Amino acid sequence: MRAHRSSVVAAIAVATTLTAVAGCAEKSDGKSTGGKGTIEVTATDSECTLSAKEFPAGHVQFAVENKGSTVTEVYVYAPGDRIVTERENIGPGTKVEITAEIKPGAYEVACKPGMKGHGIRQQVKATGKGAAVKRSPKLDAAVAAYRKYAQEQADQTIPKVKKFVDAVKDGDVEAAKKTYALSRVGWERTEPVAESFGNIDPKVDTREDGLAGGQKWTGWHKLEKSLWEKKKISGDDKKLADQLMTDLKDWQGRVGKAVINPTTMANGAKELLDEVATGKVTGEEERYSHTDLIDFHANVEGAQKAYELLKPVAKKNDPALVKELDKQFEAILGQLDKHRDSKSADGFASYDTVGKGERKTLSDNVNALAEPLSKLAAAVAVTK
């Protein structure tokens, strides 16, 4: 769920160094980057300076330095708020590099102080024919395989959602509870693909504190609140269940049209770890049902799938990075296995039974994986 976070989440994120750049205001001489392909972004709590707002299309690197003290996220949007790339959780006083494959055209860079809202935006332009991006057959195969995986996850999600929706419409609270978390797995594995469409994620996966001004609350988490907090299903909930199915079928039908390339796969893997850091580890994502661990596991599985498909090229370009990623994926999945519960409907312990020490261990595992994973896009963008 890529909506704005509460101040509590922001505070936790800062405390764990998994926080993001702050502020954004336009300042540029309008010149191109001179072919270097790097846009320098210097952020404070109230502004963000871009070294250029016109640059050659192709593999573009954003070098972000956060000189602020608050939390934000940085997006590159294509028309219609389609997400080209993004990065959350860049801590104050830190630097990160974001590598993206960008085609010629007009875009917007959005910086979101507090990791919420529409963001402070400025227009940028990628020039040229984009012919500089040369992809190996291995990367073409990785993209094709990931596109198939994303579609499979969407296709497998719909029947699971139907079971959940049918239970809600039947007014069966217990049956709806048992099918709720399982209906979300495919979505959580491939959420960056869904978010790239711009308008589907807010409809189906927004938390109550993530609503934009005037936005009606719909989707999974609205129903989650009714099931676990109110413990009853209203007539409006039954209508929302139908709407959830409609919106997810829309997602299913659009997956095949998603813009997918090696850097979106790599950056998407990192985004899934950001999801874990800002929602699952804190317990805020599934605050009523406490089914955070199955979401957590699905996010990691999705990140690992993208990584494994890109691994042959990454191993050639950066073998040390691959060795570290193999180690950290094994560690985090091993830690999650310790919280499995065969008696639970979703196979994992309720997150409210996970103590502070265990949560910190999980958080440490996330941090240890997120840092090398942030380098994957650059590793697959290298041509050798």
Side-chain angles (χ1 to χ4, degrees), residues 41-292:
V41 183
T42 304
T44 69
D45 292 342
S46 59
E47 64 177 18
C48 174
T49 303
L50 271 65
S51 62
K53 56 184 179 182
E54 185 172 304
F55 47 84
H59 283 133
V60 180
Q61 188 171 71
F62 296 87
V64 183
E65 180 177 6
N66 181 13
K67 293 185 177 181
S69 62
T70 188
V71 183
T72 199
E73 43 194 13
V74 177
Y75 288 72
V76 177
Y77 287 114
D81 277 3
R82 179 178 63 78
I83 299 172
V84 176
T85 192
E86 64 171 292
R87 181 61 54 87
E88 302 176 0
N89 307 323
I90 308 166
T94 63
K95 300 178 181 180
V96 301
E97 294 181 347
I98 310 167
T99 303
E101 185 177 319
I102 299 182
K103 296 180 180 180
Y107 299 86
E108 285 186 323
V109 173
C111 299
K112 301 185 178 184
M115 295 175 66
K116 57 185 177 182
H118 182 73
I120 304 168
R121 302 190 177 204
Q122 54 182 299
Q123 296 181 350
V124 297
K125 182 179 181 181
T127 61
K129 298 180 180 180
V133 176
K134 295 182 179 179
R135 191 177 297 161
S136 74
K138 288 183 179 180
L139 287 178
D140 283 337
V143 169
Y146 186 76
R147 188 179 294 280
K148 180 180 178 182
Y149 171 74
Q151 187 66 63
E152 288 173 345
Q153 293 304 308
D155 293 344
Q156 292 167 14
T157 294
I158 297 303
K160 294 177 182 178
V161 173
K162 187 178 186 303
K163 289 183 179 180
F164 173 63
V165 166
D166 286 348
V168 172
K169 292 174 70 176
D170 288 342
D172 191 335
V173 172
E174 291 307 312
K177 283 183 175 181
K178 289 179 181 178
T179 53
Y180 167 76
L182 295 173
S183 75
R184 292 174 49 75
V185 172
W187 172 273
E188 291 290 340
R189 285 173 178 157
T190 59
E191 192 167 358
V193 175
E195 289 174 342
S196 72
F197 302 128
N199 64 344
I200 296 178
D201 182 77
K203 294 179 182 179
V204 305
D205 200 29
T206 298
R207 303 195 304 259
E208 189 171 14
D209 61 331
L211 296 172
Q215 179 185 352
K216 181 182 178 182
W217 192 19
T218 59
W220 269 303
H221 295 301
K222 176 68 170 65
L223 295 168
E224 178 202 5
K225 183 175 183 179
S226 293
L227 294 171
W228 273 271
E229 185 177 85
K230 297 182 178 180
K231 298 180 173 61
K232 61 182 181 180
I233 296 169
S234 68
D236 284 343
D237 289 331
K238 294 178 182 181
K239 293 178 182 178
L240 286 176
D242 275 333
Q243 186 61 49
L244 176 65
M245 178 60 82
T246 297
D247 291 335
L248 288 171
K249 284 184 176 179
D250 182 23
W251 160 59
Q252 179 192 27
R254 293 165 70 177
V255 168
K257 302 175 184 176
V259 176
I260 298 175
N261 57 55
T263 59
T264 64
M265 290 170 59
N267 289 328
K270 175 59 169 64
E271 289 162 25
L272 286 169
L273 264 290
D274 289 343
E275 282 285 305
V276 173
T278 57
K280 281 68 173 184
V281 168
T282 64
E284 295 218 12
E285 178 80 355
E286 306 289 358
R287 62 189 65 178
Y288 309 110
S289 64
H290 305 299
T291 56
D292 303 270

